[in-house]
Amino acid sequence: MKATAGSGQVVGVDVGGTFTDLVMLDQSSGQVSLAKVPSTIDNQAFGVLAALDDVQAALSSVDLIVHGTTTTTNAVLERKLSRCGLITTRGFRDVLELGRRTRPNAYGMTGVFKPVIPRDLRLEVDERLDAAGEVVMALDADQVRAAAAQLLAAGCESVVVHFLHAYANPAHELLAGEILAEVWPNGYITLAHQLLSESREFERGVTAAINASVQPLLERYIARLVQELGARGYRGDVLVVNGNGGMVSSRTVAREAAKTVMSGPASGVMAAAYTGRRMGQPMLLTYDMGGTSTDVALIRDAEPSVSNEIDIEYAMPVHVPMVDVRTVGAGGGSIARVNAAGLLEVGPHSAGAQPGPICYGRGGIQPTLTDANWLLGRFNPAKLKSVGNNEAAEQVRACFERELAAPLGTDVVGAAAAVVQMANATMAGAIRMVSLSLGADPRDFALFAFGGAGPLHASALARELGVPTVIVPCRPGITNALGCVVADLRHDFVNTINQPLPGLDLDALHQVFARQIEEGEAAINRESVRIEAVRHLLSVDMQFVGQTHLLRVPLLTPTPSREDLQHLFEQVYLNRFHVELAEIRANVVNVNTSVIGQRPALDLSTLIDPAGRKASLAEAQTGSRPVYFDGHWHDTPVYWRDFLPLQARFEGPAVVEQMDCTVLVEPGDSVSADADGNLLIKVENTHV
């Protein structure tokens, strides 16, 4: 196992839409430094550097920096992409546009869809393979050269080669890649089969197109960041969190740039999984609520659910393994309004960070969920630097009276309570959707609440869902940055074989697994990062013969027998659909391997300075204030999180404040803390 020399200082930094969060951990002393600074959207590197300055990091003493970034996600969503061309099989350039014959609105007759690569930059050449990978028509090399010249003349910076059935035989794509390497002025050449070696031409093509379109952007950003860090004395590597929750070196990350989509949300889920393993809580529903949106994911048996079928927007499938995170448009900045039918709506539109909620004092004029929580006494206005004056208070109350209370026929407090209830219903629906779609009952899980606003709503959501326990980690507001620190190295592989089980070539299947494992371990050994062990997650995607949808079937060995595959498929089908069929004719479609390099364990108990904890609960209480619950005001004690005795116990109602968030404990709920300082809230009277 490779190891790095030095002091043992590790930095995790996550760039969000509003804030850039940083955790610096000295593994030798246990000292933890934290930072939360405004993100610099135009150039994320400035926010990263500002966070390092905030903790006064001596970069010459730092061994490793791990970075979660939204560069690729934002580029795709905002369509701020590099100019990219496509070379494909003659007759198939419109695959990217035809897609799956879906609609932007399921019941609408109109809609607009613009593919990542415009039609005039999608060029066709003569070549053809059949579904078995046999050559029907040889590749015309001269046409490839002519297409490359045409794309370069059109100002393309990157290029995709996407040939029909290349997953079965990559020979033509490899030959085209060799030709392009001779004439293309840079390395931004994406061969679709190298990124995704499975069937489904549309999904494979879109994934490759997204990869090539963001490649130059990501590489330039990472290069600037590495250069700036080097100028400040940093000599180690920068690892970037991929959407699968693993890490990859900055030296190679741009080659498969599409894998960094969902990097930020994935890091938070990995932190949750790591924390859950330490707590003995392997079954978690993660709930990450920020200012604009809420991300939800499922962790089963301490392993996050990973999907190969994530759509980042309409007709934009990214078919590379990513943590299965579902997003709903409900966050602290979600705008509340009364629609034309006289009904209250909360979200999906957001006030964002600028101007933000009214109570931020930055010019916001629309009522938001954060304003509603403030009116209900749920967080301290003194914590908001621009709030706490009578003018701000009156602006919030006047807006709620005018925009919500009067149209709804209630008072300001009633309107604020309705806003919170509506937002909770939206988020509970998202959590329920995630769990049920994956064949899981929310009542079998604990709710892991993080993000700046997550712990404020978690207890109410748990009660609505029937979830008995809420877990609030030590630093909910910077959990994504912590995920960067605890993330393992990870490489995922998928290959399509698409054979009926009775006729499956078992030797070929075993060889695919062996090759995937070998490639993954070689990739991990190339990284200059200390790891303690290597483990493999093995699976196959299976289906009924003639069916479209796939089921992921986990395996314990890379050499399963035919009987093993049949039995395991039947078991997965039973667990997912609760139906036992007498005869299932199975088809093995994809072979999947995840090779994971496990990094050394980290002590999370130091995330809250042990020296700052008080001896008693009474000493940790900083005051009390009225807080509105279930139609009544309650005189509610307020505690400072960093003061709570280790393994403290208390009953709700209570408010727990800390640097990065506020935790709300509702009446009837009970709170305990574990040895790492995580809070466990037992929720009473949950719905069943």
Side-chain angles (χ1 to χ4, degrees), residues 267-406:
S267 62
V269 178
M270 301 313 294
Y274 184 85
T275 305
R277 283 196 292 271
R278 287 179 60 91
M279 298 176 67
Q281 293 273 2
M283 310 291 278
L284 298 174
L285 282 165
T286 70
Y287 162 61
D288 176 9
M289 182 180 179
T292 303
S293 61
T294 296
D295 296 325
V296 181
L298 183 141
I299 297 172
R300 200 189 323 243
D301 298 326
E303 292 289 347
S305 177
V306 174
S307 174
N308 288 7
E309 302 182 12
I310 300 293
D311 283 10
I312 58 175
E313 65 174 17
Y314 171 72
M316 281 292 133
V318 182
H319 271 227
V320 293
M322 288 188 286
V323 174
D324 193 354
V325 177
R326 314 289 177 88
T327 301
V328 61
S334 292
I335 295 170
R337 58 183 284 271
V338 178
N339 64 23
L343 301 176
L344 178 65
E345 295 179 348
V346 181
H349 301 293
S350 174
Q354 294 289 343
I358 303 170
C359 65
Y360 283 8
R362 298 173 181 166
I365 58 174
Q366 294 174 295
T368 67
L369 179 57
T370 294
D371 295 314
N373 277 312
W374 184 49
L375 286 170
L376 299 178
R378 298 184 171 203
F379 65 87
N380 186 359
K383 292 186 68 178
L384 302 174
K385 296 179 180 180
S386 55
V387 179
N389 56 71
N390 291 331
E391 183 180 350
E394 287 306 314
Q395 287 176 351
V396 175
R397 291 189 181 93
C399 182
F400 267 69
E401 172 63 38
R402 181 180 65 255
E403 301 292 335
L404 302 177

Side-chain angles (χ1 to χ4, degrees), residues 414-447:
V419 169
V420 172
Q421 187 176 2
M422 181 65 68
N424 287 343
T426 301
M427 291 181 287
I431 297 172
R432 193 177 285 111
M433 176 189 69
V434 170
S435 57
L436 296 179
S437 69
L438 295 171
D441 188 334
R443 295 170 295 183
D444 298 332
F445 294 76
L447 186 64

Side-chain angles (χ1 to χ4, degrees), residues 212-234:
S213 298
V214 298
Q215 243 182 343
L217 303 174
L218 181 62
E219 184 161 78
R220 283 195 287 268
Y221 164 66
I222 293 295
R224 286 196 300 268
L225 177 61
V226 170
Q227 184 180 10
E228 290 287 346
L229 293 170
R232 298 186 178 206
Y234 181 61

